[in-house]
Amino acid sequence: MIAHRGASYYAPENTFAAFNKALEMGADMIELDVLLTKDGVPVVIHDNDLERLAGIQGKITDTDYEEVQKIDVGSWFAASYKDERIPTLREVLIWAKDKISLNIEIKAESVTDKAEGGIEEKVIDLIREYEMEEYVLLSSFDYRAAERFSHLGSEIASAILYDKDQSRGKTASGLIQMYKCDYFNVNWRYLTLFSFHKPDINAQLMMVYTVNSRRLMRKLIRKGVYGIFSDRPDLLKEVADKEISERYG
Ligand code: G3P
């Protein structure tokens, strides 16, 4: 049971297995994805399609929360994770408060042309309700959402997630300016597109995902990128600590 401001929400112990693991491994921030259920509840899950994680034909966006909360998304991974549930963003914010920062990615599947009452507004309202504005980075591959962040929640840091089709040859710094975002998040495989050796953008405004090799971690740290996403936060911490001690003794 997690309590906050007199209200309490039930979250099964094993809802946060991956997030607890990230904390244990020394991550500074957790990247997570948000989708809206059919009845408009922001939930935290990467896949909209339920086949891979639950063996169910269907989508989160076509399912009401009452059904979504019953879905077991742990058994596919290991029997010991049976009954792992899909948490709401509200539950995750309560869990994260005073523990860790969050990079909340708004999934394109829930972004619409209508800004009012949309996923961006719902997510920002929740962040404010839990006073997590300083501990959240908003991001989206959908440039409509990226543009709305600065209008709806200018006090919350935001990043544009690079998408080739929507960028039409624009530079990284051009995209940041155009969509009024603070950071430029990019897949490491695309780094060459931005002539990383002579980038048009200050490396300190870049975050790179998903980097699991020691060699690339070291290279990016030396370039001075602001953030690195990894499935191996323990390895990243080890590489970063070594770089710091070599540089500053
Ligand atoms: O947030 C960017 C990165 O984690 C990759 O995106 O949608 O596969 O989580 P996604």
Side-chain angles (χ1 to χ4, degrees):
M1 185 80 73
I2 304 172
H4 179 78
R5 290 189 188 155
S8 40
Y9 302 92
Y10 178 69
E13 282 281 296
N14 56 356
T15 298
F16 299 104
F19 293 169
N20 279 316
K21 189 72 184 170
L23 258 188
E24 190 190 308
M25 290 170 96
D28 300 310
M29 184 179 243
I30 290 173
E31 189 268 351
L32 56 86
D33 303 276
V34 177
L35 283 161
L36 290 185
T37 59
K38 189 179 176 192
D39 51 345
V41 178
V43 291
V44 174
I45 185 161
H46 179 274
D47 294 11
N48 189 23
D49 193 318
L50 289 160
E51 176 65 40
R52 185 176 69 99
L53 301 183
I56 294 172
Q57 303 283 315
K59 291 190 162 83
I60 294 282
T61 46
D62 294 336
T63 312
D64 282 337
Y65 177 64
E66 198 179 338
E67 290 308 309
V68 166
Q69 67 176 336
K70 295 180 194 154
I71 299 171
D72 166 11
V73 285
S75 295
W76 72 277
F77 187 70
S80 53
Y81 290 91
K82 183 178 178 308
D83 288 334
E84 183 85 8
R85 302 291 167 194
I86 298 167
T88 60
L89 179 61
R90 180 185 292 280
E91 288 167 339
V92 171
L93 287 167
I94 294 168
W95 172 86
K97 180 112 183 136
D98 300 324
K99 275 199 197 87
I100 195 160
S101 298
L102 301 175
N103 172 193
I104 300 179
E105 182 192 327
I106 294 196
K107 295 296 272 185
E109 293 95 323
S110 289
V111 177
T112 67
D113 281 332
K114 210 169 143 258
E116 209 175 308
I119 185 167
E120 304 88 344
E121 198 172 77
K122 287 185 179 203
V123 167
I124 288 168
D125 284 351
L126 278 168
I127 294 167
R128 286 180 176 147
E129 187 178 334
Y130 292 98
E131 296 171 356
M132 286 283 281
E133 298 95 322
E134 283 176 47
Y135 305 98
V136 165
L137 171 74
L138 289 166
S139 64
S140 185
F141 280 112
D142 191 312
Y143 288 8
R144 290 173 298 177
E147 188 161 29
R148 283 171 198 154
F149 295 150
S150 66
H151 300 301
L152 297 169
S154 58
E155 79 280 28
I156 304 169
S158 66
I160 187 151
L161 265 166
Y162 177 73
D163 173 79
K164 210 170 171 183
D165 293 340
Q166 292 170 91
S167 302
R168 294 183 215 99
K170 292 196 180 59
T171 61
S173 56
L175 288 165
I176 283 199
Q177 270 172 23
M178 185 166 185
Y179 294 100
K180 299 191 178 65
C181 289
D182 303 288
Y183 299 100
F184 179 75
N185 291 9
V186 63
N187 188 313
W188 66 268
R189 291 187 175 85
Y190 285 141
L191 285 176
T192 48
L193 287 181
F194 300 99
S195 4
F196 194 56
H197 298 288
K198 280 189 199 159
D200 82 291
I201 184 174
N202 184 337
Q204 284 173 16
L205 301 179
M206 292 179 91
M207 298 194 207
V208 185
Y209 66 88
T210 300
V211 180
N212 293 326
S213 96
R214 186 185 288 271
R215 199 162 151 263
L216 186 55
M217 286 174 183
R218 199 181 300 126
K219 185 173 168 188
L220 293 169
I221 291 167
R222 289 180 184 173
K223 291 278 179 196
V225 299
Y226 182 75
I228 298 175
F229 297 58
S230 179
D231 298 325
R232 294 287 318 274
D234 50 346
L235 178 64
L236 181 56
K237 205 168 168 5
E238 184 196 312
V239 174
D241 287 349
K242 192 156 176 275
E243 285 298 308
I244 291 166
S245 76
E246 278 171 14
R247 205 174 306 170
Y248 302 106

